[in-house]
Amino acid sequence: MASENGEKLDLRLNIVSDTKQQKEWISLSLRVVAFVATASATLIMALSKQTKSLVVATIGTTPLTIALTAKFLHTPAFIEQGLRLGLIAILDVMAVALAASGDGAASFMAEVGRNGNSHARWDKICDKFEAYCNRSGVALIASFLGITLLLVVNVISITKLFKLNRI
Amino acid sequence: MTKTKRVLTLFLRFLAIGATLAAVIVMVTSHDSSQVLNLTFTAKYSNEQAFKFFVIAEAIACGYSLILLLTFSQTSLWRLVLILDVVIAMLLSSSVSAAVAIAHVGKKGNTHAGWLPICGQVPKFCNHVTGALVAGFSAAIIYFLLIFSSLYSVQNTLFL
């Protein structure tokens, strides 16, 4: 009887540690994919310029690159302690906020560039600089993907903090 | 969930309701018109997509905070509330930064794209929008304080 109970207990501990390892890999792989998405968004946006003979300087809208490069706040959650998980959750919230603000600003500036604003007499620029606009659009799509993944990662790290709390 | 934590959360949510409501009201009531060489130049918040998004996002956050404040006895759902708080904070920060970017172009112009600043012609509109952005920014900061206090209290109960 006692040996049976001992075996059942061992089996349960094995299952718990396996799912923990699995959740670690899920979180880590999502972080890597989110990092790749946001890094590609930064690179595409920063390296896209198009020069024409009429305009002397390269086109760039300054609020964008500053916000987009500040997204590398990833710390992999290998060691599970209460303080570290809390710090990781807080840093993740800040990363999500930064990514969201960069995203929002960039997409609305791109919308003004594509459609113009007749009320403020701002002409659209996308009919003249098509390649730049297309490349910026691709960068925006990548950053939206990145922020979705960052949000999922944040939810996972917060639920990890809750699960630790329940013990 | 101790009593002080509940009181702090309720107080922060009340502040957030006030800030988001102020942002919505100030942005919606901002309009100005001026005459430049026989042309009337009217500026309203609805001419800009980013300002419309700002109003909608702040209204969503205000409604969410009101609903939570009215049903605050449900403490069993505090985990779901924390996750929804993160989503709403993300929405708020995105809307504030989009509106600030467009307002920056409106104030300083963008010489590369040939966009002239409009604040010289409609200064009352610009001041109104600045006030609304300040309220929206403070609403976002209050939401982040809410999230940080909730996370800190969750992590503190581990050591008790």
Side-chain angles (χ1 to χ4, degrees), chain A residues 45-166:
Chain A
M45 192 72 88
L47 295 178
S48 68
K49 38 185 164 172
Q50 184 182 9
T51 53
K52 281 192 111 171
S53 55
L54 298 167
V55 182
V56 173
T58 57
I59 300 277
T61 49
T62 41
L64 295 174
T65 47
I66 295 175
L68 280 175
T69 49
K71 262 188 282 208
F72 303 150
L73 286 177
H74 294 136
T75 54
F78 284 127
I79 305 172
E80 266 191 22
Q81 291 180 18
L83 191 65
R84 283 174 200 250
L85 273 188
L87 190 67
I88 283 165
I90 287 178
L91 283 180
D92 268 344
V93 167
M94 287 189 345
V96 162
L98 269 175
S101 43
D103 232 354
S107 48
F108 278 103
M109 295 297 281
E111 196 266 338
V112 174
R114 186 169 277 284
N115 297 335
N117 191 345
S118 55
H119 302 277
R121 313 273 192 276
W122 292 339
D123 298 323
K124 56 175 122 173
I125 63 169
C126 271
D127 48 357
K128 298 193 268 290
F129 296 94
E130 262 203 50
Y132 173 75
C133 274
N134 291 342
R135 247 176 266 161
S136 302
V138 169
L140 276 177
I141 290 174
S143 80
F144 275 120
L145 192 67
I147 189 186
T148 312
L149 290 168
L150 270 177
L151 192 62
V152 168
V153 158
N154 193 10
V155 167
I156 287 178
S157 66
I158 288 182
T159 50
K160 246 192 248 184
L161 193 61
F162 291 156
K163 288 227 177 82
L164 202 65
N165 188 20
R166 239 181 269 162

Side-chain angles (χ1 to χ4, degrees), chain A residues 1 11-12 22 46 57 60 115 138:
Chain A
M1 202 62 135
L11 207 68
R12 217 169 294 147
Q22 212 177 31
N115 297 335
V138 169

Side-chain angles (χ1 to χ4, degrees), chain B residues 107-122:
Chain B
K107 197 173 183 67
K108 302 270 174 66
N110 191 346
T111 51
H112 302 284
W115 295 337
L116 301 172
I118 63 167
C119 270
Q121 280 105 31
V122 282

Side-chain angles (χ1 to χ4, degrees), chain B residues 12-29 54-55 57-59 61-62 65 89 92-93 95-97 99-100 126-144:
Chain B
L12 280 176
R13 258 186 230 288
F14 192 63
L15 274 185
I17 288 177
T20 48
L21 202 60
V24 166
I25 289 178
V26 171
M27 183 64 95
V28 165
T29 59
F54 178 76
V55 164
E58 300 279 338
C62 187
S65 309
L92 275 184
S93 78
S95 72
V96 162
S97 82
V100 164
C126 273
N127 294 341
H128 243 104
V129 165
T130 307
L133 290 178
V134 164
F137 188 65
S138 52
I141 287 185
I142 289 170
Y143 253 98
F144 284 121

